[in-house]
Amino acid sequence: MTAATSSTLFPQGSTPGAYAATSRDADAVLDGLDPEQREVATSLHGAVCVLAGAGTGKTRAITHRIAYGVRAGILQPASVLAVTFTNRAAGEMRGRLRQLGAGGVQARTFHSAALRQLQYFWPKAVGGEVPRLVERKVQLVAEAAARCRVRLDRNELRDVTGEIEWSKVTQTVPEDYSAAAAKSGREAPRDAAEISRIYATYEQLKRDRGVIDFEDVLLLTVGVLQERPDIADQVRRQYQHFVVDEYQDVSPLQQRLLDLWLGDRDSLCVVGDASQTIYSFTGATPDHLLNFRIRHPGATVVKLIRDYRSTPQVVHLANGLLSQARGRAAEHRLELVSQREAGPDPVYAAYADEPAEAEGTARRIRELITPVEQGGGGVPASQIAVLYRVNAQSELYEQALADAQVPYQLRGAERFFERPEVREAGLLLRGAARGGSADPALADADVPSQVRAVLGTRGWTPEPPVGSGAVRDRWESLAALVRLAEDFAGSRPGATLSDLVAELDERAAAQHAPTVEGVTLASLHAAKGLEWDAVFLVGLTEGMMPITYAKTEQQIEEERRLLYVGVTRARRHLTLSWALSRAPGGRASRRPTRFLNGLRPGSQALGARTPGGSGGIERGAAAPGGGGGVRRRRGPVHCRVCGRALTDAGEMKLMRCEGCPSELDEALYERLRDWRAEQAGLLGQPAYCVFTDKTLLAIAEAVPGTESELAGISGVGRRKLDRFGADVLALCAGRELPSAQDGEGDDGAGGSHSGDPWQNSTEK
């Protein structure tokens, strides 16, 4: 049996006649391809690695490559397997191949291709029929947890299920889960030993019932191909050529399957972009893409950098984002070159608070969808997207768009008021409104306090939980309800809990807008692979972008890549916005994401320099008149360990939470204390008038090496920097200072002038 026969292993529906009829006009397939795309299309022998930036036409390149090979008689349709990661992408690829005369080519996801092979070979390899596939494993995971006497709520159940999936795609067995999770830095939703037991019990339940899950499809196919060389040879005779799209998202298990399909051949073409790796939490890794030349030394590498999607202004911003990136993926970044005509500059919009940001976004969208003849932008609503970091952010934008009578549709998430935790919260609040007076905790409390008390029984806490996943999503939803209650009470003094429940009902009813044609609301992860004429990236503040639980450099850089993916979804219009405070009237303590430093007007780059200038429009909460003389607010202080915004004065001086680990240089701290005592004696002032204990601790932890680093420590103002900076930096550098008595009177600032502001008890 060979791939040339019509009775192949996996029938395609193509015939030799149709194949021969199209082989005479192969060169026509190359028409319209740029030089790099043409190189991809005509490189049909040996290993090929296509590094394709966002919007560079990678799908066009690889589909034309397959079609050219088929039409030129080099590839037979049934011998080609094109693999991608979503059914949508596979369907799009099949459609394009049919249009190009290569309809007999297999284009499937990894799971679909593996399941097809497993079903075909199971009777021969094992006997009987393939075990039934469990499409939703959560029920079995729940039963496994119950057998282990571990109680999981709905959100924990989803997270534990995700840990089991991650373990399987990384080929981690139950007894190795704890060590593997710790090594990879995963934030386990439960005790690692508990998850390991649940995982083992889950696997035993599947064996007892003769069922398999989606990960088993890959594992079993790998097992069959490893244990049965005759079957592996049969598959390799069938498939002579492989194409893998989105190769940066391949998991170790998928790579193992691909290796078994390939055997000792090198007839493989992979396409990917390390700068779009945003799913590492699922086991995906760009290492296979970055190591391709090591595995295949003779490979042809083609870089696609001509961006046909976005305007030069959008591309310039995307390139600027990556120019400041770090890590291995950043070393392989692609500098895109736009092929489109110039468009408007990206808009950078600062708003006073989150509701204002949502309303401003809705207002701008309303202008964009207004027909051109009426003075608007004429952009269809379906060609506009609002993208945010977490799904819980959608509620404000759902409401703002509904208020502006703009149709919208949610992608990748339930509507806010349809989420289970929000529905449950509504029922609880409704019950509390009816019987709250009988509850001592609710009787005399204001509306926000009543809401906090009720939702506190269902997972809301004043501080967010550590890590990501369902627990965090649930908390974000409940926190949004708490904020809504606070805003409602602020705008309607004297309102009752019953009034709030009525308001929630009205809001829920107002958001049932048509979803067929409307603005897309989606998380940045859900937007991968899509594009729109106009994109609004919202909520771009520190703590949200990067997200607070991104702590390591690798996690921070993945957050940067996530923003890069968001930017490159825009064809023409791009708006990036943030709110200076959460609620109206709140302190403007937030700051925009660090990723925009050096890119947005008025900001300075940190780290690598951004090549060239940066265009853009600063739009938002400017002072009336726009004149100078406005005092700049200092941004919020964030814990340098965990990233949480700090509000306690002592923690702000330390620049870390009290509970976060300290890296105190105790010897330096003691030297600083001795020096401070000497200075205080000379000044005739208490020691805290020089520096407080907290400031000395912060200095001893940070060990600044430059004046600017010292100035960045809370409690070190300009005057103190001028007066004491040289001494402090010398101590931090380990140098000995002469006695303060020896240097008395040398400082022209007049250190003993009791009237100087820096001698006041409040540090500046």
Side-chain angles (χ1 to χ4, degrees), residues 553-565:
E553 180 176 298
Q554 292 83 357
Q555 291 168 335
I556 296 284
E557 287 305 313
E558 182 148 335
E559 292 288 299
R560 186 194 304 276
R561 295 194 295 270
L562 189 57
L563 181 57
Y564 173 79
V565 166

Side-chain angles (χ1 to χ4, degrees), residues 357 537-542 545 563 576-578 591-593 596:
E357 183 181 10
L537 301 177
V538 300
L540 300 181
T541 59
E542 284 289 313
M545 176 57 67
L563 181 57
L576 305 96
S577 65
W578 57 91
R591 54 179 174 167
T593 172
L596 296 180

Side-chain angles (χ1 to χ4, degrees), residues 478-499:
L478 298 179
L481 288 174
V482 171
R483 292 195 298 268
L484 193 151
E486 293 169 349
D487 297 340
F488 179 75
S491 63
R492 291 184 56 181
T496 65
L497 188 59
S498 296
D499 295 330

Side-chain angles (χ1 to χ4, degrees), residues 163 523 576:
E163 290 302 293
S523 70
L576 305 96

